[in-house]
């Protein structure tokens, strides 16, 4: 029940902020503070629990309404991912015991793959048959399928005789 009251109070605070900020300066300041805190590694959920911060639904509304806020928020989330990747490495480095070195290496591999997926990410195994069917134009895919069907027919005829 206390949580519901806190959420309602936060919603009322956010609505009041919007009502008071005819020029939007106060809302923009809150948006900037939210982005700063996210970039520093905080979750939106923890930010919304704080006194004077709007509920997540209000923030999602702002994201839908403001392209500038959406761009800043996206950048802040990317920065947060970097912070979290750094924390993973720090946690792994504090590990002790026989598997500590493996954990440290795996944490670094994971971070590298997430931060630079084109360079360090998992690469799909190549298709031994050559081009993927999705890469072929329709007429080439149809010709390839016809050739496969013909090869099956020939094999089937050879088994019957």
């Amino acid at each position: 029940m206390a949580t519901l009251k806190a959420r309602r109070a936060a919603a009322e605070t956010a609505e009041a902020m919007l009502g008071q900020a005819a020029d939007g300066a106060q809302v923009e300041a809150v948006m900037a503070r939210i982005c700063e805190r996210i970039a520093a590694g905080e979750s939106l959920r923890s930010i919304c629990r704080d006194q004077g911060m709007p509920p997540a639904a209000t923030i999602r509304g702002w994201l839908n309404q403001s392209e500038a806020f959406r761009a800043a928020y996206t950048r802040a989330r990317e920065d947060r991912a970097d912070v979290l990747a750094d924390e993973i490495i720090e946690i792994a480095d504090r590990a002790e015991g026989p598997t500590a070195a493996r954990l440290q290496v795996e944490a670094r591999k994971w971070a590298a793959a997430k931060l630079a997926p084109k360079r360090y990410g998992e690469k799909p195994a190549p298709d031994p048959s050559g081009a993927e069917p999705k890469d072929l134009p329709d007429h080439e895919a149809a010709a390839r399928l016809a050739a496969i069907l013909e090869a099956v027919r020939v094999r089937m005829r050879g088994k019957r005789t």
Side-chain angles (χ1 to χ4, degrees), residues 2 5 10 15 21 25 32 62 73 75 83 104 125 137:
K5 286 182 182 178
E15 287 176 19
W62 291 347
Y73 184 84
R75 176 67 188 159
V83 169
Q104 292 166 355

Side-chain angles (χ1 to χ4, degrees), residues 28 31 35 62-63 65-75:
E28 287 180 13
M31 289 175 173
C35 289
W62 291 347
L63 287 167
Q65 294 170 358
S66 170
E67 189 172 326
F69 179 51
R70 187 170 41 255
Y73 184 84
T74 299
R75 176 67 188 159

Side-chain angles (χ1 to χ4, degrees), residues 19-161:
Q20 293 171 359
D23 62 1
Q26 190 174 5
V27 172
E28 287 180 13
V30 172
M31 289 175 173
R33 183 68 186 129
I34 289 167
C35 289
E36 289 169 8
R37 290 177 65 182
I38 287 174
E42 286 187 66
S43 70
L44 182 60
R45 181 178 286 192
S46 70
I47 293 169
C48 292
R49 281 191 288 248
D50 286 353
Q51 184 73 24
M53 283 294 175
T58 299
I59 295 169
R60 283 190 294 275
W62 291 347
L63 287 167
N64 290 329
Q65 294 170 358
S66 170
E67 189 172 326
F69 179 51
R70 187 170 41 255
Y73 184 84
T74 299
R75 176 67 188 159
R77 296 220 6 141
E78 290 169 357
D79 291 346
R80 180 174 183 241
D82 292 343
V83 169
L84 294 176
D86 289 344
E87 287 179 3
I88 288 169
I89 292 171
E90 289 173 7
I91 291 167
D93 286 348
R94 289 193 300 263
E96 295 179 8
T99 60
R102 190 170 114 220
L103 175 62
Q104 292 166 355
V105 169
E106 290 300 317
R108 283 163 173 77
K109 285 171 47 179
W110 179 87
K114 295 299 177 185
L115 295 173
K118 288 182 181 178
R119 189 167 185 180
Y120 298 109
E122 295 287 326
K123 295 180 177 52
D127 181 6
S129 67
E132 292 284 325
K134 65 181 180 186
D135 295 338
L136 297 175
D138 288 344
H139 68 280
E140 287 183 36
R144 188 180 222 178
L145 181 58
I148 291 169
L149 288 172
E150 183 59 30
V152 169
R153 284 188 197 114
V154 168
R155 285 187 186 164
M156 294 302 287
R157 274 189 240 135
K159 289 183 180 180
R160 290 185 197 156
T161 56

